[in-house]
Amino acid sequence: MIVKNARFVTSCATARAADGYSPQVCVAGRSNCGKSTLLNMLMGAKLCKTSQTPGRTRLINIFEVSTDTRKFFLTDLPGYGFSKAHKSETDAFAERTDVFFRTSKDIAQVLCLMDVRRDPSDLDKVLINYLRDLELPFTVVLTKADKLSRAQVGNATVKIAAALGLAKGNLIVTSGLNGSGKDALLNRLDEVLAVFGEQDT
């Protein structure tokens, strides 16, 4: 699958406002895990603002992506685990995401982003188990692979997969800096979007 064009569509303050954009590939992960960088890599354009300050994404941001095979929407969800946010704001982010996952009928896949240099946090594990409980399809995407050697990436991938109860082959390793893993991730999305389309027919 080759991305031909991408554009920002809207920012949504509520889960209901994000309804109707179908199919959606949601991008979730803890703050500062590299979501914006990965989204820019996938879309081939700097449509997401990157920041060294975690917790900048506070709305549900939707982007339209046109490829050589199909059109879909990338949904950038607020990062979790940002301890410096005011508690009421943090709770609002969590509630907004929870309602979105529980009510949306447009989700074809959830990309769960994790920094390859770090062990999965309790919140990472909660997210994976939460998606399992809701029977939402997901793919774990490891980011920032350029920060480690190839051997270190291999060892870290095995360790993270074991911590999440997944096979190593179920994780896709990426780097927004050098573009590694982009083709593998786009091929994965092409497969899941095709299946989602068949379910709608």
Side-chain angles (χ1 to χ4, degrees):
M1 184 167 70
I2 300 173
V3 173
K4 297 293 187 179
N5 187 53
R7 67 181 182 91
F8 171 75
V9 178
T10 189
S11 293
C12 304
T14 65
R16 178 174 293 183
D19 286 346
Y21 298 97
S22 182
Q24 289 188 37
V25 174
C26 304
V27 183
R30 65 182 304 169
S31 297
N32 213 27
C33 71
K35 287 196 296 104
S36 296
T37 300
L38 182 99
L39 282 164
N40 287 336
M41 179 184 76
L42 285 178
M43 293 186 289
K46 294 184 178 181
L47 299 179
C48 292
K49 294 181 179 179
T50 59
S51 173
Q52 296 300 315
T53 303
R56 292 296 296 272
T57 303
R58 301 191 176 191
L59 300 172
I60 298 172
N61 295 314
I62 299 177
F63 303 84
E64 181 184 82
V65 180
S66 299
T67 76
D68 56 338
T69 58
R70 66 188 79 253
K71 182 179 76 173
F72 66 97
F73 295 91
L74 277 172
T75 304
D76 183 15
L77 299 172
Y80 53 82
F82 178 43
S83 60
K84 290 186 179 180
H86 190 278
K87 186 178 187 301
S88 63
E89 292 181 339
T90 304
D91 291 345
F93 303 159
E95 181 180 359
R96 186 181 304 139
T97 303
D98 177 64
V99 172
F100 175 76
F101 278 141
R102 290 186 179 277
T103 61
S104 178
K105 304 299 182 184
D106 304 315
I107 300 174
Q109 186 80 178
V110 180
L111 302 181
C112 304
L113 272 56
M114 300 180 193
D115 189 329
V116 71
R117 300 170 298 173
R118 309 184 188 284
D119 293 337
S121 67
D122 289 341
L123 288 173
D124 291 327
K125 295 174 183 178
V126 166
L127 173 63
I128 296 299
N129 290 327
Y130 175 79
L131 295 174
R132 284 173 171 148
D133 289 343
L134 292 181
E135 297 183 347
L136 286 173
F138 66 87
T139 297
V140 173
V141 179
L142 302 182
T143 62
K144 306 187 180 183
D146 54 277
K147 305 296 184 182
L148 301 176
S149 69
R150 182 175 297 182
Q152 288 174 322
V153 167
N155 292 334
T157 302
V158 171
K159 186 176 181 181
I160 293 171
L164 298 174
L166 299 170
K168 179 183 177 182
N170 290 339
L171 284 66
I172 296 178
V173 180
T174 67
S175 166
L177 184 64
N178 61 32
S180 63
K182 178 179 178 178
D183 289 343
L185 186 50
L186 286 173
N187 289 338
R188 172 64 175 159
L189 294 183
D190 198 26
E191 294 171 358
V192 299
L193 289 166
V195 172
F196 186 81
E198 291 171 358
Q199 293 173 347
D200 285 346
T201 58

